[in-house]
Amino acid sequence: QVQLVESGGGLVQPGGSLRLSCAASGSIFSIYDMDWYRQAPGKQRELVAAITSGGFTNYADSMKGRFTISRDNAKNTVYLQMNSLKPEDTAVYYCHAQKYGKTYWGQGTQVTVSS
């Protein structure tokens, strides 16, 4: 069992930056592949970025060059650094863990990009 708690969301102006954090507890964090998803109002949840247990990363095309996913296994935490934010990045951002066919979700954190 894994519990995930996101933090770091908020209101930011276009062009600004935010760093989201996802703290994990309850299991061996380092073995899990971790992802960030987001869901905007009226839209389906979409993958933002992923990082495997081995540290390999992958990004949705629209986030490449702007977002960076990383993990600190010693702190049981995965991060999402978001730069050059756009109004279309406004969404609830969710942390997701998966391994051995089991998946876990956090409660989400709201990111609003607006002037």
Side-chain angles (χ1 to χ4, degrees), residues 5 8 13 18 20 24-25 49 53 65 72 74 77 89 91 97 102 104 110 112:
V5 179
Q13 293 187 342
L18 281 176
L20 305 183
S25 62
S53 58
D72 185 337
T77 302
D89 294 318
K102 296 184 178 181
Y104 304 94
Q110 175 70 46
T112 302

Side-chain angles (χ1 to χ4, degrees), residues 85-97:
L85 283 162
K86 307 173 182 180
E88 51 264 42
D89 294 318
T90 295
V92 178
Y93 284 72
Y94 296 90
C95 181
H96 175 249

Side-chain angles (χ1 to χ4, degrees), residues 10 22 29 36-37 51 57 61-62 68 112:
C22 172
F29 173 76
W36 285 97
Y37 282 76
I51 185 166
T57 60
D61 287 343
S62 61
T68 302
T112 302

Side-chain angles (χ1 to χ4, degrees), residues 8-105:
L11 174 64
V12 63
Q13 293 187 342
S17 298
L18 281 176
R19 189 175 82 153
L20 305 183
S21 299
C22 172
S25 62
S27 189
I28 305 173
F29 173 76
S30 62
I31 69 171
Y32 284 85
D33 298 325
M34 302 296 298
D35 316 295
W36 285 97
Y37 282 76
R38 70 183 186 186
Q39 188 167 19
K43 295 188 176 181
Q44 289 188 333
R45 193 170 295 189
E46 63 175 346
L47 178 67
V48 174
I51 185 166
T52 68
S53 58
F56 293 99
T57 60
N58 189 35
Y59 298 91
D61 287 343
S62 61
M63 287 64 155
K64 288 180 180 177
R66 298 191 300 126
F67 291 8
T68 302
I69 189 171
S70 61
R71 66 191 298 163
D72 185 337
N73 290 336
K75 295 182 178 180
N76 288 359
T77 302
V78 62
Y79 304 98
L80 184 68
Q81 177 67 45
M82 305 186 294
N83 299 326
S84 303
L85 283 162
K86 307 173 182 180
E88 51 264 42
D89 294 318
T90 295
V92 178
Y93 284 72
Y94 296 90
C95 181
H96 175 249
Q98 58 181 330
K99 199 70 177 182
Y100 307 130
K102 296 184 178 181
T103 66
Y104 304 94
W105 292 91

